[in-house]
Amino acid sequence: MKEKIKIGVVCLARNTYDVEAAIQLYKNTQKELNEKKEYHWIIEKEVIIEDEDAIKSALKFKAEHIQALILISGTFHLGTLALKYSQYLSVPILLWGYPELPYDGGKIRLNSLCGVNLDASNLYKANKKSFHTSIRSTVDEAFLDAIKIQYTLNQAHIGIIGHHAQGFYNIDVDELSIYHKFGILIDHYELNDIFHMKEEEHDVEDYMIRIKKIFDLSDINEAQLSKTAILCAKIKKFYHQKKLDGLAIRCWPEFANGYGISPCAAMSILQGEEMLLACEGDIDGLISMMVHQALGLKTPFLADLSQIDQGQNTMLLWHCGVAPITLWDGVSIRSLDTYFAQNRGVTTGFVLKQGHVQLLRFDSVHGKYRIFICEGDAIPMQKELRGTYANVKLNAPVMEVFNKVAGNGIAHHFSMSYGHVREAIRMYAKLYDIPLIEG
């Protein structure tokens, strides 16, 4: 089990202001934070006033290897304090100020806002820009989510089977750039590692029962059905045996010849079990899916932008049959189809459910990353195509969105997930200095 994210918390103050009021507010904050059990809080119980105490506190946080720091401006305070923490800690910082309390005898009691302003200016001008400012009574959840993204990527164990699909040079990656930015080292495997994996018979039997129960099988034969169930069992065993958090697969052109069918249907079924599987060897696509999952959007779909309708302001998000089966619209017939790879495709076919969706792409170019994001709503549509797909009515003009994608050379795969996490993505891009392209 992975360790919890460690976040340091400290409150800064100055005796010329209402320190007792700040202490009470800080006690309330400590209680609030301790109720968030998914994090490991390293909290300074007492307020920090002097430089010497700030240095001791910073060294303690450094020894604890915190992933982020919350600096609370309990009251206005010495301008050196935040700089002392930044001197010893190279982590993102939330500069959090409390709303001002009612005046007492014509005097500002906290002046917390000015403290945040002071710290932000000092850090910015010291070229330490990985910070965010917040003036509120409760912690900024977007900041916590941004830290969660980076922590998830830092801890991730991902692999690739084979390479990217033939001719898809635009999804190739610089692995050392990935390591530098996210801390990820990618493990490489061969297609034969899957082909020769010994499947568990009970898993094959279970998948056979599930497949027959879920899908219209009129387009495939018994051999293809058997191979699909066996492949589900093989990939499942491989994924868990290697203790992977995500796996990119070169699903064509060799897979159908080497195994007998393509892996699309098996990947769709397994992604319904919250495994992260990226088709066509797309590592950046896998990273994008991992970010969505880290933010609670459990079953992302790696989709192509396949069609636009300017009149309806819609975009068809399609792929050849790998969407998680849990995203089914509940209306269309779910089928297994063989419409490509010389009738050896064995892909899933269904329409995706309605709901608010987000498209996300962590995309690398020349060894550097940028992030693309846009939102819309998946609307009802008839099952007229093979593969898995959703018709999405975008929040922004569809041609403007496509022009941003094409004009910036963004690769043609996007993690599509149900939910809204734009603020977390914005925060992440800001804290970790990654350009953000918003559609």
Side-chain angles (χ1 to χ4, degrees):
M1 183 177 178
K2 291 184 172 67
E3 293 183 355
K4 295 180 181 180
I5 302 171
K6 290 184 177 181
I7 301 180
V9 183
V10 63
C11 182
L12 311 180
R14 186 166 173 80
N15 284 323
T16 51
Y17 292 89
D18 193 344
V19 174
E20 291 305 316
I23 289 172
Q24 187 54 55
L25 291 171
Y26 186 43
K27 286 180 179 178
N28 294 339
T29 294
Q30 292 179 49
K31 182 179 178 182
E32 174 205 347
L33 296 179
N34 282 322
E35 289 174 353
K36 298 180 182 298
K37 303 297 184 183
E38 67 269 37
Y39 302 98
H40 181 186
W41 302 103
I42 313 295
I43 297 176
E44 286 289 358
K45 303 292 186 185
E46 307 299 328
V47 298
I48 298 295
I49 296 176
E50 303 296 342
D51 287 355
E52 294 80 4
D53 295 323
I55 293 170
K56 291 177 184 177
S57 171
L59 290 172
K60 183 178 79 171
F61 288 147
K62 184 175 182 179
E64 290 282 0
H65 302 289
I66 62 170
Q67 278 82 44
L69 176 64
I70 296 177
L71 279 179
I72 300 173
S73 177
T75 74
F76 187 80
H77 47 270
L78 293 175
T80 51
L81 298 181
L83 293 172
K84 292 296 183 185
Y85 282 98
S86 182
Q87 180 180 354
Y88 291 99
L89 299 165
S90 297
V91 297
I93 299 174
L94 175 62
L95 299 176
W96 176 4
Y98 291 133
E100 187 56 58
L101 297 174
Y103 303 149
D104 182 11
K107 183 178 180 182
I108 291 180
R109 295 170 63 185
L110 300 179
N111 207 18
S112 178
L113 175 69
C114 191
V116 169
N117 193 166
L118 171 67
D119 293 339
S121 180
N122 276 338
L123 290 174
Y124 188 94
K125 292 181 178 182
N127 203 31
K128 295 179 180 291
K129 299 177 183 178
S130 183
F131 65 83
H132 175 68
T133 59
S134 176
I135 309 298
R136 52 192 296 167
S137 57
T138 59
V139 70
D140 192 326
E141 294 288 347
F143 178 84
L144 299 181
D145 284 339
I147 304 307
K148 187 183 297 181
I149 291 171
Q150 187 70 0
Y151 181 77
T152 298
L153 296 178
N154 285 166
Q155 302 297 310
H157 178 205
I158 69 174
I160 181 169
I161 294 177
H163 194 44
H164 61 67
Q166 184 176 345
F168 285 10
Y169 307 112
N170 64 325
I171 62 172
D172 201 7
V173 295
D174 181 336
E175 294 188 35
L176 289 180
S177 294
I178 290 177
Y179 172 72
H180 172 71
K181 198 67 183 177
F182 308 122
I184 299 172
L185 288 173
I186 299 162
D187 283 342
H188 285 253
Y189 309 100
E190 301 301 327
L191 290 171
N192 280 335
D193 293 336
I194 288 291
F195 299 162
H196 298 156
M197 171 65 67
K198 177 59 181 173
E199 66 276 5
E200 301 294 335
E201 287 300 326
H202 64 89
D203 281 336
V204 176
E205 293 171 6
D206 288 346
Y207 283 119
M208 186 72 78
I209 293 169
R210 288 179 59 197
I211 290 169
K212 288 180 177 179
K213 182 178 179 180
I214 293 172
F215 295 102
D216 174 355
L217 305 176
S218 58
D219 195 49
I220 66 171
N221 57 41
E222 284 296 323
Q224 291 168 326
L225 169 60
S226 176
K227 282 185 175 292
T228 300
I230 292 170
L231 185 56
C232 285
K234 285 177 179 290
I235 296 176
K236 176 183 177 180
K237 184 176 180 181
F238 182 88
Y239 192 95
H240 293 301
Q241 189 179 84
K242 301 298 184 183
K243 298 180 180 179
L244 293 167
D245 298 304
L247 180 65
I249 300 174
R250 180 177 166 104
C251 47
W252 66 273
E254 300 88 358
F255 213 108
N257 289 328
Y259 180 70
I261 62 169
S262 66
C264 309
M267 292 170 68
S268 171
I269 293 164
L270 293 171
Q271 288 191 92
E273 301 174 16
E274 297 185 16
M275 296 183 203
L276 288 182
L277 302 171
C279 54
E280 298 173 322
D282 187 356
I283 290 172
D284 280 344
L286 181 62
I287 289 172
S288 306
M289 296 166 75
M290 190 166 291
V291 169
H292 264 155
Q293 190 182 70
L295 296 174
L297 311 182
K298 295 184 178 180
T299 49
F301 165 39
L302 192 64
D304 289 347
L305 310 185
S306 293
Q307 182 181 335
I308 60 175
D309 184 327
Q310 293 189 65
Q312 299 297 318
N313 203 51
T314 57
M315 180 175 284
L316 185 72
L317 277 298
W318 175 93
H319 228 155
C320 50
V322 295
I325 57 173
T326 46
L327 300 184
W328 173 50
D329 69 352
V331 177
S332 58
I333 294 173
R334 288 177 289 182
S335 58
L336 293 192
D337 304 308
T338 60
Y339 76 102
F340 74 97
Q342 298 175 329
N343 292 327
R344 290 176 296 177
V346 189
T347 71
T348 55
F350 58 84
V351 177
L352 276 64
K353 65 183 181 180
Q354 301 174 50
H356 185 78
V357 300
Q358 183 175 77
L359 304 184
L360 174 68
R361 175 80 190 182
F362 276 53
D363 194 68
S364 56
V365 58
H366 306 142
K368 295 183 178 181
Y369 272 85
R370 64 268 179 86
I371 300 171
F372 173 83
I373 190 170
C374 73
E375 284 101 13
D377 289 281
I379 59 178
M381 68 177 299
Q382 297 295 315
K383 185 180 180 183
E384 300 177 306
L385 299 166
R386 299 202 180 192
T388 48
Y389 45 91
N391 195 29
V392 176
K393 191 174 186 66
L394 296 183
N395 294 345
V398 65
M399 277 308 300
E400 287 186 14
V401 172
F402 180 72
N403 286 338
K404 283 185 178 181
V405 169
N408 287 284
I410 304 295
H412 60 291
H413 290 163
F414 299 83
S415 175
M416 187 192 108
S417 283
Y418 289 79
H420 182 90
V421 290
R422 183 182 282 254
E423 289 308 313
I425 301 298
R426 281 176 173 164
M427 182 75 72
Y428 177 80
K430 174 184 177 182
L431 292 175
Y432 294 95
D433 192 27
I434 302 177
L436 180 64
I437 302 167
E438 298 192 60

